[in-house]
């Protein structure tokens, strides 16, 4: 398959460039009979939308999504769901300068070598704008999963040097950072203000979890649940690392410490992050992502142009000083899409499985 | 697709349980006309094979692979390559005790809930023994890539608390740890001996790199090169984290520090690990994996049985005290398989692309 | 994969209901650098469009297609191509009556049992209107193939009892029947006029051919070229049979008659229809399709409603008395899409193959 | 995906050349908990096996299949099922002569141009011997389907000019022709004897049906049930045409005749062959296949060699004078594999669908 489809049974195929006329997606394989309307998708799109605080890019896109098919009289029909967002705030004149230059740490150089041609306006297809469609599609998956008692949500767990602990899920959506610890907000605000003064950017760490999962999701040996989640999460712009549970912390752990012992009352710990042998255990599924600092900064950088000549690049325009800030809804979407696909795949093969063994949490 | 196939154009489908009669694989999509014989596969199989030092499991399997099709008069024919390894050292009586118990941190509990039945002998399909077939298939990919000037190799970069630096590629295959720093060997030996006395296990970090890659491999937006590598590497038993280049280190980096500037002489750094926008840049591709400590240890652990009753589990048998030790050839295989698949996918779409821009390293 | 994607490397995913707001498609995997504009697609869309003669449905849709992505400064960029056609002439009130009834020979009954809900307006997703997107996508494939010297075209080879021979390719596009024999036109006109007076419909046979194919396309053993063409052609509404070359005629042939002997000057016959062992031979590729008579006729028919009660169904509205009449551009599109996909698949694996043996026609 | 895998959820991947060491397959996605043993597969393998009457090739292969994985303590475990048949009667010396020649109507010429190299012994991968693995895998699907009340079976419906009607299902397995009309046997015997005297071969028509299907199987719009069946059936060696229900007969039908009217007591006819809009209707599914005459005959034929020189080819060796004779179990297998895959795909998406409308037959 070409690279713009995600999933096997519940699939999302997307199109669209940053400064083209529109972004779109086709969601195929959605079970019929689920109530669905545009507002269901708009909620997460608004969470991802730029321009909602001074800490994100000031590009203003209403990101108004239309459902063009697959929903009839308020419920899904089982046929493919067509989604469309028109691009309204394009300002392509801002980007003309970089036509022949490769911005460092961007995809300009690699797209050029891969395809020979590229839509240089705003990064074209490699722009983070593309993620709007992931969020719209993910909202459909989230809604179906929620009806099964499965909740997917995320938060920023580190911004630069500032580690953030999960103190209050309620707080996450009430600040522009998706920060789950209200006490950290002043520090985050100050940090971002300084960053802007420095005209620089910074990395971040985002955590996504799913609760209420049944044991059994995941298709060993190659399509393990964690392997496919890693695929989905690593496919998000700027992500450089993905880990589950204790993640890279396991390197220094001993087996006697790492193993999550079980009692009839439940698991005694969750170092594994909810996956054993590539299959969900029923514990909370926990993934962490590392996002690199925004590549678009106004500090001049050395590069070359398409002719191989040295150039100095200064990236103007409106950019997020930390791409990680708006990444939480996107990470949630990719987790929801992966879980949805695996829910369908699991029941296809294992519909008749019945075990009397109790399920632990 | 079901979960036992990896790749889109160059595909590997495997079967086999730890204590069944045989392991096998079908490698489909291999270009015709490549010289290939069983010795080409055996080399990496022998590197992965257990029982070659006192630091790995003493299970002794010759792991002798047979090529059953797809090769004629010494060259590949383009038809599927059937591979088979007979299991010889099965000793299934060792495992009878765990029939009704779930070993902590193993896949017993999750396989039971997913499938209702499981081959409990030696972990069945969830055993690391399955990885032999990945290594055999990976050797085919490695050979093709090598002929294109692409070299895939790996090493252990950390064992428990002992960080290891890449000092000497030559050293890697001359010690049982795949350790690239000969000076570290006494420390590693001592560490492992202590671990065995403690009857415990430990985690590890493995690094895999590819050199000689052309720019352009990877299929945005979902099948980015790093996303598919993450899929492949995370699908290896015991892997809990995957990162590229500076990986989780990017969280605290600034954009001005992270971006790899370019000059006509080449990239000035490689924080990105050889991937930009999900496409290979032509720099060295660098991935790191975190492997959890072996779950099979003789220290008793709490668990439940299939009826939900509490039990105390002691895992006997022959086990690696650090699964990371033998993981290097497996990680190389998964990287090689992914690159091979992407080489074919890239040229399918972009065969006619010609750019005059020089390629940087 | 869900069922609304066609192809492996050059893929088309479509959405849209007959009376929904729009139809759309995403074409992924198109090689970059090909000149492409909306007019390229519009030509075939206009050939398929209803309402152009009195022998097809009088529904009037301009079927104006928009390219929303994947094309920049007049050439394809290698990123997914988003296509959209707004539905303008919907008249959904015409169809309200059949909400709870199953029209005989339609998909009403089967969609109802499969999905539980269905968009009953104009057949919803099962309407032949869906094929507009196949034609638009097929035009992209046709253009690429043409640049490789491969020409795909078709014609009506039988209407009811009237067999039609290929006399003049030029004539095909100058009459509403895609009839390649101008002398047959009066007979066809008279036949259709009588059919309309009878308020009945009739079947047809359509032939599609590709010339200029290289030998080598097709991926045995399951994805043979003829097998995948059969898949694509049989997926067109109303098609009940597909055959290659002499097709069902081979049943009574002897081996000495059927085999296409070869001489240095070329093949001596083409009973095989251009495929041997599932791989193109370089001869003209020939496929024939059988299309059933339109199910929507005004002669009352017996059926049941959703409650299982008997009803009499009269299908009003605007319908083609012979769906086969407009099927030629659709069949061409499915052949072009299949060939395009196989061209890419073939060169991915077999790029380096060189043989000195001459190619025969 | 490469071309040697069939299915999406219930997948079969095969390998093996006619004169290589073995044939094998991996069946992935089989539901767990189904009793399965080698005898279940052997039954159909024996039905397909050559050498059981004087009317088929005298090559003698025991075709003894081994199950190498995926079955434990007599039931499937949900993990991939590895299958292996060793080739025992290879006699490769018979085939040395054709090393540099292209036999007319064989795949020699096309494999040569596609791959550059080919295993010329007995046709290599293009030999009908490959179908043994389809039959073995199909037997697994058949067993699962049977437990759901779905029965797949076939028969020869025409041999050369001799049309055969379905008179007695019981008779099919009691004669070497899979002929359902015992009265026709003397005529068939005489016909075949004459054919052998003529040293020629002849085509055949085979019919396959499935009874007991629920309505709802099939995934529009591209993966319609009939489209995927056409794919699977057309992928069988020598098949040149596939049709459903009245097939090519619909070309001359009128809509008022073709449509299968419904009453509360059931459908009044089955012109459609059990599929409406690409979805099973619950009626008997009926497919017909056209198989070309065996290409290997001893009557000399004109051809060229790999250097382009004219040669006269005489195909010696042991061959079926009518490949259609042994095709029935293969066609059943491909239908069973397709239905099995669609059963799983359907329930993945539509598990929760409930309709009160009665199901018709």
């Amino acid at each position: 398959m070409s690279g713009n489809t995600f999933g096997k049974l519940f699939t999302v195929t997307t199109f669209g460039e940053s400064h083209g006329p529109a972004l779109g997606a086709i969601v195929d394989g959605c079970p019929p009979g689920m109530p669905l309307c545009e507002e269901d998708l708009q909620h997460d799109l608004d969470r991802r939308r730029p321009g909602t605080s001074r800490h994100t890019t000031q590009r203003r896109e209403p990101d108004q999504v239309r459902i063009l098919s697959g929903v009839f009289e308020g419920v899904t029909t089982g046929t493919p769901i067509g989604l469309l967002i028109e691009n309204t705030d394009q300002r392509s004149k801002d980007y003309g300068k970089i036509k022949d230059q490769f911005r460092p740490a961007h995809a300009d150089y690699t797209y050029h070598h891969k395809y020979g041609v590229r839509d240089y306006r705003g990064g074209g297809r490699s722009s983070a704008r593309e993620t709007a469609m992931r969020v719209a599609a993910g909202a459909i998956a989230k809604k179906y999963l929620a009806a099964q008692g499965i909740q997917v949500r995320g938060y920023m767990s580190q911004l630069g040097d500032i580690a953030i602990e999960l103190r209050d899920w309620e707080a996450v959506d009430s600040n522009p950072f998706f920060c789950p610890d209200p006490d950290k907000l002043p520090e985050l605000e100050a940090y971002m203000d300084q960053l802007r003064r420095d005209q620089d950017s910074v990395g971040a760490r985002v955590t996504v979890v799913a609760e209420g999962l049944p044991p059994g999701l995941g298709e060993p040996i190659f399509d393990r649940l964690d392997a496919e989640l890693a695929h989905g999460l690593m496919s998000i712009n700027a992500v450089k690392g993905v880990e589950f549970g204790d993640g890279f912390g396991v390197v220094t752990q001993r087996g006697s410490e790492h193993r999550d012992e079980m009692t009839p009352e439940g698991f005694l710990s969750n170092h594994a992050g909810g996956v054993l042998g590539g299959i969900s255990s029923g514990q909370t599924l926990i993934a962490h992502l590392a996002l690199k600092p925004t590549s678009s900064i106004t500090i001049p950088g050395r590069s070359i142009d398409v002719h191989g000549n040295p150039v100095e690049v200064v990236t103007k325009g409106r950019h997020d000083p930390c791409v990680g800030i708006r990444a939480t809804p996107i990470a949630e979407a990719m987790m929801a899409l992966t879980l949805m696909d695996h829910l369908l795949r699991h029941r296809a093969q294992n519909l008749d499985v019945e075990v009397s063994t109790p399920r632990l949490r």
Side-chain angles (χ1 to χ4, degrees), chain A:
Chain A
M1 291 295 308
S2 289
N4 294 283
T5 297
F6 189 76
K8 300 286 163 52
L9 289 183
F10 185 90
T11 63
V12 184
T13 307
T14 75
F15 72 80
E17 273 80 39
S18 174
H19 286 57
L23 304 171
I26 302 177
V27 177
D28 199 10
C30 186
M34 179 174 79
L36 190 73
C37 63
E38 284 154 358
E39 287 68 40
D40 291 323
L41 282 62
Q42 202 60 50
H43 173 68
D44 273 342
L45 280 170
D46 290 346
R47 291 172 71 217
R48 191 212 76 99
R49 195 163 41 123
T52 55
S53 86
R54 75 176 189 278
H55 305 297
T56 58
T57 168
Q58 293 308 301
R59 174 170 171 156
R60 298 200 175 273
E61 290 281 2
D63 279 359
Q64 203 71 39
V65 71
R66 289 171 62 204
I67 296 178
L68 297 178
S69 66
V71 175
F72 182 59
E73 298 182 339
V75 298
T76 57
T77 60
T79 61
I81 302 170
L83 304 176
L84 195 76
I85 294 177
E86 309 265 351
N87 283 330
T88 54
D89 182 21
Q90 303 175 10
R91 294 204 207 170
S92 62
K93 52 185 171 285
D94 285 351
Y95 294 90
K97 241 185 184 170
I98 57 160
K99 182 177 174 178
D100 291 330
Q101 297 185 349
F102 303 126
R103 294 168 297 165
H106 275 90
D108 300 345
Y109 175 81
T110 53
Y111 268 69
H112 176 76
H113 274 287
K114 183 174 188 67
Y115 298 116
V117 291
R118 68 193 166 91
D119 181 346
Y120 49 77
R121 300 168 303 167
R125 182 69 174 153
S126 73
S127 163
R129 176 134 188 76
E130 157 267 313
T131 58
M133 274 299 143
R134 305 180 183 225
V135 169
I140 300 174
K142 271 185 179 179
K143 184 161 189 183
Y144 189 87
L145 293 170
Q148 314 281 319
I150 302 168
Q151 186 179 23
V152 178
R153 47 189 181 171
Y155 57 92
M156 173 173 279
S157 47
Q158 188 165 344
L159 176 78
D161 297 309
I162 309 171
I164 305 166
E165 285 191 32
L166 173 59
R167 297 210 183 277
D168 180 6
W169 274 116
E170 299 297 314
V172 171
D173 272 354
S174 62
N175 67 75
F177 301 101
F178 298 91
C179 167
D181 180 357
D183 296 346
K184 288 278 185 181
L185 291 175
E187 193 179 352
L188 292 170
E189 300 267 358
Y191 190 95
M192 291 301 295
D193 288 338
Q194 180 61 45
L195 196 64
R196 212 161 23 245
R197 281 190 294 270
D198 297 345
Q199 305 195 352
D200 214 337
S201 62
V202 78
R205 188 168 178 263
V206 164
T207 298
V208 216
V209 306
E211 288 161 300
L213 275 183
L217 304 193
E219 301 297 329
I221 55 161
F222 294 117
D223 291 352
R224 286 168 143 88
L225 187 60
D226 39 5
E228 295 237 323
L229 283 164
H231 186 152
L233 296 170
M234 193 71 84
S235 79
I236 300 172
N237 292 36
V239 173
K240 300 300 290 182
V242 173
E243 59 182 7
F244 294 91
D246 291 350
F248 277 86
V250 301
V251 172
T252 55
Q253 286 177 353
R254 291 215 157 185
S256 53
E257 171 192 3
H258 177 80
R259 63 178 171 182
D260 300 312
E261 292 179 294
M262 293 172 267
T263 70
E265 288 72 42
F267 287 91
L268 296 177
S269 53
N270 188 8
H271 296 287
V275 188
L276 288 172
I279 299 171
S280 65
S281 66
Q283 286 192 282
T284 300
L285 179 69
I286 304 170
H288 307 287
L289 288 69
L291 291 113
K292 71 175 185 181
T294 311
S295 305
S296 301
I297 52 177
T298 47
I299 301 173
R302 276 170 294 178
S303 188
I304 60 168
D305 65 16
V306 294
H307 310 295
N309 300 317
V311 293
E312 191 187 76
V313 173
V314 177
T315 308
K316 298 224 171 120
R318 303 150 294 162
H319 300 286
D320 287 300
C322 173
V323 287
I325 290 183
R326 294 198 288 131
T328 293
I330 307 165
E332 291 171 4
M334 294 314 297
M335 181 175 274
L337 290 171
T338 307
L339 293 176
M340 182 72 196
D341 193 41
H342 276 273
L343 194 73
L344 302 189
R345 292 169 75 177
H346 173 65
R347 74 190 191 191
Q349 183 182 14
N350 301 299
L351 185 63
D352 305 320
V353 170
E354 279 181 38
V355 294
S356 57
T357 310
R359 296 180 171 193
L360 307 180
R361 291 289 175 195

